[in-house]
Amino acid sequence: MKRVHRSRSALALSLAVLAATALSGCTATAPGDRGRPVAGAVDPATRPELRAFYTQKLTWTDCGELRCARLTVPMDYADPADGRTFVLPVAKAVTADPARRIGSLVYNPGGPGGSGVDSLTDGGADSFGAEVRARFDIVSFDPRGVGASAPALTCDDGKGEGEAAAEAADENPLSPRTEADRKGVLAMVEAEAGACVAGSGDILRHVGTRDAARDVDVLRAALGETRLTYVGWSYGTSLGTEYAEQFPRRVRALVLDGAIDPSLDWRARAQSQAAGFRRAVDDYATHCADIAGAGVCPGATPEEIRQVIHGLFARTARAPLPVDGSASGVDERMLLDALSMAMYTPEDQWKGLSEALTAADSGDGTKLAALAHDEETGEDEDGGSGSGGAGTAPADEPNPTPAHNEGAALLAVNCADTPHPRGAEPYWDALAPAQHAAGPYGTAAVLDAMVCKGLPAGPGQPHLVRAEGVPPVLVVGTTGDPATPYEEAESLAAQFPGGMLLTYEGVGHTAYGRGGSCVGDAVDAYLVGLKPVRAGARCQ
């Protein structure tokens, strides 16, 4: 039976979405420095070769209910005079109360690979409280290589290698045990990495979060702000952390929700997130049995529900589940995708997941396929999720609809930010512990990371945050967060001088905008009036 097509990027998005690791930083950036910024270094805004970027004026035009512009930044901050640039789409929702305006608030919705312009167009400003919307212009942008930036990342080499890699992923088991299994995995990751190198070329070396944070500082200057007010969700916490390390004295307020700990290496990060998803599925089983009850859940007790899920993994590993009206079926990877994506917004997806699991336990994969398909819309089958030409729209289109290249950007940015082994053995060595700790979530996370062995990496290393001089930073952590486990929020808050931790006792990914008035009121008061959050603050 042919499987339902699920690009390898969809698996990466379900297990590594909004994940980034091992960034680096300190205070200011030295001219031509390709390593860590150094304390006391020359302010980059005063470098003659960067002055034109820092003094550019944004030309705003109407784009629906928003205002849109384009920001030009150097492709290589070590050699900005070489003429190569990224052009980044920018959008803003203008303050509802200009007379009380504080300034601009910049946000990143997550990823890496999330389009800020897309987010804002789709109502992203509604995630902020009414007082924040009244006091700030809400601004977001497409980071370098992402969405409608020019140039944009793609893992389409024009020869079908990206599509072949995605198909190969469907044929490879989540837990490769034989030599043939491992050869299949190696062939797949090498094909996918090769397609990304062929499709994106040299820009792969220039899409890391360190350079994206420098872009944020150029944006800050272009917006006319002396200090940055910023909110980052998930991967956006990595971008915000990097900005704080490079430009600590240019921060006004920084909210990091769904935190990523920069001290974790590739293996620890994969294990952390995989364990988060495993715990989230356990939380689902407990919640379903305790709250929803019999007749809705795929089992009467949490243990019965977990056994159903475990049995489905074993069953789909042997043969795909049939799907009504289709010659395709649902394999173990599609099952993993459906489960993982349902963990992000339980209030929206757990009921549908229960129905899909109940049907699947009876032998029908139709609803599981629908769940997974809904989360994959907008992606190409090549894993690159777009042609790569998103930034080449006619000049009279201030912000064309961005190509959905989340898969390519997720892969390229994570690999650029984090040192990964170049040989295969460290990944094989990590598989058994990952499986023991988190089952298929663990092995999938390790196999996803393996593609990075064939892609460029930046100079960053795992490290504790160094941001001397930064004002108090607010970190928000959700105790049941699947993608960015709560322990990472605790760690990141402790690494910032004067760091504050706001705990949301709940499930799902991130809290601000979905965690109720307790979280919203605390974050809004900090953003508007810089009101600190007391130590040990918790919301339910």
Side-chain angles (χ1 to χ4, degrees):
M1 179 179 292
K2 186 178 179 181
R3 292 167 173 80
V4 170
H5 180 80
R6 178 214 46 80
S7 72
R8 188 181 182 283
S9 297
L11 178 59
L13 284 168
S14 67
L15 285 178
V17 69
L18 316 172
T21 51
L23 309 178
S24 339
C26 195
T27 52
T29 306
D33 177 33
R34 292 181 181 272
R36 291 306 314 140
V38 295
V42 175
D43 183 340
T46 67
R47 291 171 56 188
E49 64 271 36
L50 289 178
R51 189 170 295 122
F53 297 102
Y54 268 91
T55 58
Q56 66 185 293
K57 302 297 182 183
L58 295 175
T59 301
W60 296 99
T61 60
D62 290 333
C63 49
E65 297 181 355
L66 305 176
R67 302 279 287 166
C68 292
R70 292 183 177 185
L71 180 78
T72 301
V73 295
M75 182 172 290
D76 186 352
Y77 277 91
D79 187 14
D82 73 353
R84 296 180 300 161
T85 63
F86 283 100
V87 179
L88 311 180
V90 182
K92 69 176 176 180
V94 178
T95 171
D97 190 353
R100 301 171 63 227
R101 180 182 183 274
I102 294 173
S104 299
L105 183 155
V106 178
Y107 81 90
N108 179 279
S115 164
V117 172
D118 246 5
S119 169
L120 201 52
T121 301
D122 291 341
D126 294 338
S127 297
F128 298 89
E131 183 68 6
V132 173
R133 296 196 304 273
R135 305 298 297 276
F136 292 94
D137 294 336
I138 307 298
V139 179
S140 199
F141 67 104
D142 287 4
R144 51 176 53 211
V146 172
S149 74
L153 289 157
T154 178
C155 289
D156 180 7
D157 63 353
K159 300 178 182 179
E161 291 297 323
E163 182 176 351
E167 294 289 356
D170 285 335
E171 300 300 326
N172 289 317
L174 287 178
S175 301
R177 295 180 175 85
T178 68
E179 188 61 27
D181 288 343
R182 293 189 173 191
K183 285 182 179 180
V185 170
L186 282 173
M188 179 268 292
V189 299
E190 288 168 2
E192 185 168 7
C196 291
V197 170
S200 297
D202 189 53
I203 70 169
L204 287 168
R205 301 182 182 277
H206 300 289
V207 295
T209 302
R210 178 177 300 169
D211 284 338
R214 292 166 175 167
D215 297 343
V216 172
D217 198 52
V218 174
L219 175 60
R220 172 202 57 77
L223 291 169
E225 304 294 343
T226 57
R227 294 194 297 162
L228 177 72
T229 300
Y230 174 89
V231 174
W233 282 275
S234 202
Y235 164 75
T237 69
S238 289
L239 183 58
T241 297
E242 180 67 33
Y243 186 90
E245 292 190 287
Q246 292 194 50
F247 309 104
R249 291 174 177 83
R250 290 195 190 144
V251 172
R252 175 188 171 272
L254 203 63
V255 175
L256 307 178
D257 183 5
I260 293 167
D261 183 353
S263 70
L264 302 182
D265 65 14
W266 74 270
R267 182 169 173 171
R269 178 69 192 128
Q271 291 175 341
S272 173
Q273 192 175 58
F277 277 102
R278 185 211 66 212
R279 288 195 300 266
V281 173
D282 285 345
D283 288 342
Y284 154 75
T286 299
H287 173 89
C288 196
D290 290 349
I291 305 300
V296 178
C297 301
T301 67
E303 184 56 32
E304 285 184 12
I305 296 170
R306 295 181 188 114
Q307 285 301 318
V308 167
I309 294 171
H310 179 77
L312 285 172
F313 272 116
R315 185 172 177 177
T316 53
R318 295 190 299 268
L321 292 173
V323 174
D324 285 348
S326 174
S328 300
V330 177
D331 67 1
E332 59 178 337
R333 289 174 175 268
M334 179 64 80
L335 170 62
L336 185 69
D337 287 342
L339 282 166
S340 299
M341 295 307 294
M343 296 303 109
Y344 282 90
T345 53
E347 60 274 18
D348 297 329
Q349 295 177 296
W350 277 8
K351 181 177 184 294
L353 176 63
S354 293
E355 295 171 351
L357 289 173
T358 299
D361 191 40
S362 297
D364 183 1
T366 305
K367 290 184 177 181
L368 276 178
L371 282 177
H373 177 74
D374 286 344
E375 298 301 334
E376 291 178 36
T377 55
E379 282 209 332
D380 276 357
E381 292 187 352
D382 67 0
S385 310
S387 66
T392 58
D396 60 351
E397 296 183 28
N399 275 308
T401 300
H404 293 277
N405 66 341
E406 293 95 337
L410 176 93
L411 184 61
V413 176
N414 280 341
C415 295
D417 284 349
T418 309
H420 280 73
R422 294 300 174 183
E425 284 306 314
Y427 302 95
W428 303 141
D429 291 344
L431 277 177
Q435 184 167 28
H436 177 74
Y441 308 99
T443 55
V446 171
L447 296 179
D448 287 341
M450 198 172 189
V451 183
C452 289
K453 79 183 194 68
L455 290 176
Q461 296 291 330
H463 70 286
L464 295 173
V465 171
R466 298 179 299 246
E468 295 82 2
V470 73
V473 170
L474 176 56
V475 178
V476 184
T478 299
T479 55
D481 195 314
T484 51
Y486 176 70
E487 294 80 5
E488 295 192 40
E490 289 182 302
S491 176
L492 184 63
Q495 291 175 45
F496 275 106
M500 303 177 292
L501 176 64
L502 174 62
T503 298
Y504 173 52
E505 295 179 353
V507 294
H509 184 44
T510 72
Y512 182 50
R514 57 172 293 271
S517 61
C518 176
V519 172
D521 290 348
V523 173
D524 291 352
Y526 168 73
L527 288 171
V528 173
L530 303 180
K531 181 180 178 181
V533 172
R534 62 176 175 78
R538 303 181 78 87
C539 294
Q540 291 184 334

